[in-house]
Amino acid sequence: MKQNVLQYSTPSWHSFELQKLLLRLQREQGVAVETVLQGTGVDQQFLEDPTRCVTVEQELAVYIRIANLNRDPLFAFHHGRSMGLSQWGLLGQAMLSSQTVLDALRLFTRFVGLFSWQMQVSLQALDHGGYALTLLPTPVDETTQQFEVESSFAALHTLLEDILVDRVTFQALAFATPVFIEVLHYFEGAVCCDVAERAGANRVEFAAALVQRPLPYADPEHLALLEALCRKHLRQLAQEQDLLGAVNGYLNSCEQLPSIEAVASHFSMSSRTLRRRLTALGCNFQHLLDDHRYGLAREFLQDETMSLEAVAKALSYSDVRSFRQAFKRWSGMAPGQFRSSGSS
């Protein structure tokens, strides 16, 4: 069976960044919010609460939709430039409290999972005393990767200017893939250096004079507390992914939809214990089962030899009407519409 796209985990990510992206996409490009949210597991109600959180998987699902529906080559750049210190959360505050720019960059590499869960970054010393930061984006489609790289470089530049309270100039900036000429020009104007494309790596170089600069709000005691909180948050995220990944993996291996008792028994625990652990992660077994059903439903609907009655039966629904209602709730469209659209 195919791995489901959506999963549920602790609502660890504040949605205000997604809210900004969604509303801007709607305002500037006329893309309806409900269109973006189709199939992501996120409903429109979260736009009404700026403090509401979404899961790691939901955040990625919405981000992918935004990147692929976007038609403005400068959208990612402008979004990144708008990501000031207040939107970086714990990581931004920790970087603000660091002693030097280099210390702040080292924190970014250690806790990048708090910025983007699957992004990877590395920091290397250069011969002239400066440093280079290389970015590997989240392993998804190329359009989303490029969107993430452009917005991340722009956001990092904005954050460095915020924590240094001064203009920041990069020594060099390079993109691994081709970039729109407008994007190159805007980055050159912002970071004040030549910007390369098709360079084989997403890389930014910092001069020795910049990385050695002390930060005006350095606070060792505050930094120690913030680092501890960053470590705790990352551990929680990793633990959540381990348990939920195991449960979802087991669901994918089952030929028939299992009960919570069967799943709990497989992991040598009682159903009560499994319920308690899932509740602690901000979800429940029904969420996981619905997500699993949604993944299977999309597979089955791509097989035109299966009638809706057969799909409903395979997913343990009592009738087609119940299945239609559930699928409309998951995807925002009826099963027949999904099938005729050729969605995958």
Side-chain angles (χ1 to χ4, degrees), residues 52-256:
R52 185 172 171 184
C53 295
V54 294
T55 70
V56 172
E57 290 78 18
Q58 288 171 333
E59 189 260 0
L60 179 58
V62 175
Y63 199 79
I64 290 170
R65 292 281 292 167
I66 290 170
N68 282 273
L69 290 169
N70 167 54
R71 295 295 176 264
D72 178 5
L74 291 170
F75 191 68
F77 171 84
H78 288 309
H79 170 63
R81 291 293 289 168
S82 72
M83 289 288 291
L85 175 63
S86 63
Q87 295 180 291
W88 278 70
L90 282 175
L91 179 55
Q93 292 299 316
M95 293 172 70
L96 175 71
S97 301
S98 301
Q99 291 291 327
T100 66
V101 171
L102 178 57
D103 291 331
L105 291 172
R106 284 172 172 160
L107 276 177
F108 177 66
T109 62
R110 285 174 55 197
F111 298 116
V112 68
L114 299 179
F115 176 73
S116 176
W117 177 244
Q118 295 187 56
M119 180 189 290
Q120 298 181 35
V121 294
S122 60
L123 190 65
Q124 305 92 23
L126 301 175
D127 292 340
H128 56 68
Y131 278 78
L133 185 144
T134 303
L135 185 155
L136 290 175
T138 301
V140 287
D141 64 274
E142 292 182 3
T143 298
T144 307
Q145 286 190 351
Q146 189 60 33
F147 190 97
E148 183 178 41
V149 170
E150 292 174 12
S151 63
S152 296
F153 277 153
L156 181 60
H157 183 257
T158 298
L159 177 67
L160 291 176
E161 291 194 328
D162 281 356
I163 65 176
L164 195 56
V165 197
D166 197 2
R167 187 73 188 272
V168 168
T169 299
F170 289 167
Q171 189 163 21
L173 180 65
F175 293 95
T177 57
V179 180
F180 284 106
I181 189 65
E182 304 100 309
V183 176
L184 290 177
H185 288 164
Y186 268 75
F187 267 102
E188 287 173 349
V191 303
C192 301
C193 72
D194 290 334
V195 181
E197 60 174 335
R198 305 173 192 269
N202 302 299
R203 175 183 169 102
V204 55
E205 294 186 10
F206 307 96
L210 174 62
V211 297
Q212 293 168 5
R213 286 188 63 176
L215 295 178
Y217 295 105
D219 186 336
E221 292 185 5
H222 195 204
L223 175 60
L225 174 61
L226 289 166
E227 281 192 85
L229 291 173
C230 286
R231 285 193 296 270
K232 180 180 179 181
H233 198 174
L234 273 184
R235 283 197 303 269
Q236 289 174 338
L237 286 171
Q239 291 167 359
E240 292 155 12
Q241 300 308 304
D242 286 346
L243 174 62
L244 292 164
V247 172
N248 277 291
Y250 178 68
L251 290 176
N252 283 323
S253 71
C254 294
E255 292 299 322
Q256 295 182 334

Side-chain angles (χ1 to χ4, degrees), residues 6 34-35 37-41 65 294 298 301 324-335 337-338:
L6 297 179
E34 56 267 27
T35 299
L37 297 182
Q38 282 183 5
T40 65
R65 292 281 292 167
Y294 178 41
R298 286 178 297 168
L301 289 171
R324 281 199 181 102
Q325 290 176 337
F327 193 84
K328 184 77 178 290
R329 186 174 67 252
W330 297 330
S331 68
M333 65 177 76
Q337 182 184 358
F338 177 91

Side-chain angles (χ1 to χ4, degrees), residues 37-56:
L37 297 182
Q38 282 183 5
T40 65
V42 180
D43 58 52
Q44 283 189 269
Q45 293 179 352
F46 91 110
L47 287 172
E48 301 171 4
D49 183 359
T51 65
R52 185 172 171 184
C53 295
V54 294
T55 70
V56 172

